[in-house]
Amino acid sequence: GQNIDQPTEMTATEGAIVQINCTYQTSGFNGLFWYQQHAGEAPTFLSYNVLDGLEEKGRFSSFLSRSKGYSYLLLKELQMKDSASYLCAVIASGAGSYQLTFGKGTKLSVIP
Amino acid sequence: DAGVTQSPTHLIKTRGQQVTLRCSPKSGHDTVSWYQQALGQGPQFIFQYYEEEERQRGNFPDRFSGHQFPNYSSELNVNALLLGDSALYLCASSLGLAGVRSQDTQYFGPGTRLTVL
């Protein structure tokens, strides 16, 4: 089975930096995704990590440590529009196919 | 280039009824996965279709069934609806079974909001 943990809620100030952590336990690991989801909308892709290290994409960066089963999403220069849920999801292989398993999401509130 | 489309947008049913949700994958994609997302939760994998066959299934009862058509579009059917089936149902498409492991290759549709009364 797979287990993915991330904080339920976080609050941060506009212009600040926030780090959202994700820990996972899975077999057949094939990569980790971060998605952003605004209320009532579909998840949108933010980042993908399959090798250890940091991937930077503009204001967003994602880190992966496979040996520790740990990832984080770093958001810089926070804007009010960054208020959303952030979903950590792990790709695992099995029976010749791949399955995406999501954590419960971290609801980020950005305050002025 | 059309993205993933789903219909209907919203649906209200009563307990015991049956419902069919529809999904058209992004142009060029041939694999469709369905997810159920309850309020305040992350999406939960229901099943995945490729070459008109169910390839993987999550922990959902047989009341949840699906189908994939030759044009790669897909349907999700839920029988004997329960109050707990109220959720946002998301469809995601990708290219091939292996495509879902690569970055930015699984695209989500806008979802169907199902309310069971």
Side-chain angles (χ1 to χ4, degrees):
Chain A
Q2 296 163 31
N3 189 39
I4 301 174
D5 287 314
Q6 49 182 132
T8 304
E9 293 185 35
M10 298 182 72
T11 302
T13 305
E14 191 176 14
I17 299 173
V18 69
Q19 178 175 311
I20 302 174
N21 296 323
C22 171
T23 58
Y24 65 88
Q25 294 175 313
T26 187
S27 56
F29 177 82
N30 272 278
L32 186 144
F33 288 83
W34 284 95
Y35 283 86
Q36 180 191 60
Q37 187 176 30
H38 286 100
E41 298 181 9
T44 55
F45 169 82
L46 288 178
S47 68
Y48 170 75
N49 295 71
V50 65
L51 300 176
D52 291 351
L54 188 68
E55 294 281 341
E56 297 187 79
K57 189 185 290 186
R59 294 190 300 114
F60 293 73
S61 302
S62 57
F63 172 84
L64 175 68
S65 169
R66 290 172 297 172
S67 62
K68 295 182 179 179
Y70 168 69
S71 173
Y72 68 72
L73 179 69
L74 194 70
L75 291 77
K76 304 176 186 176
E77 302 170 13
L78 280 173
Q79 302 175 9
M80 299 300 291
K81 67 178 182 179
D82 296 330
S83 293
S85 284
Y86 291 85
L87 300 163
C88 173
V90 170
I91 282 277
S93 63
S97 184
Y98 296 85
Q99 181 174 319
L100 191 61
T101 300
F102 285 85
K104 293 184 177 181
T106 299
K107 184 178 179 181
L108 174 66
S109 297
V110 180
I111 57 176
Chain B
D1 180 17
V4 181
T5 59
Q6 291 186 244
S7 63
T9 306
H10 295 85
L11 202 53
I12 299 175
K13 292 285 189 178
T14 56
R15 281 177 295 175
Q17 285 189 310
Q18 178 265 343
V19 68
T20 297
L21 310 182
R22 296 176 176 81
C23 170
S24 292
K26 178 179 167 63
S27 178
H29 284 182
D30 56 10
T31 303
V32 173
S33 300
W34 286 93
Y35 296 84
Q36 179 195 66
Q37 187 175 25
L39 200 60
Q41 302 293 314
Q44 281 197 299
F45 175 75
I46 302 174
F47 43 53
Q48 181 183 72
Y49 276 85
Y50 173 70
E51 292 186 335
E52 302 180 49
E53 290 187 14
E54 183 182 291
R55 298 292 178 153
Q56 280 222 64
R57 189 179 183 92
N59 189 26
F60 279 81
D62 292 344
R63 297 188 298 110
F64 290 77
S65 63
H67 188 77
Q68 186 178 34
F69 299 93
N71 67 354
Y72 309 122
S73 66
S74 177
E75 288 183 349
L76 164 66
N77 300 293
V78 187
N79 294 323
L81 283 168
L82 304 174
L83 295 179
D85 295 332
S86 295
L88 180 67
Y89 287 84
L90 296 164
C91 166
S93 74
S94 55
L95 178 60
L97 288 174
V100 76
R101 68 177 164 178
S102 303
Q103 65 175 1
D104 204 20
T105 56
Q106 190 169 56
Y107 293 83
F108 283 85
T112 294
R113 173 72 64 186
L114 173 65
T115 302
V116 182
L117 302 176

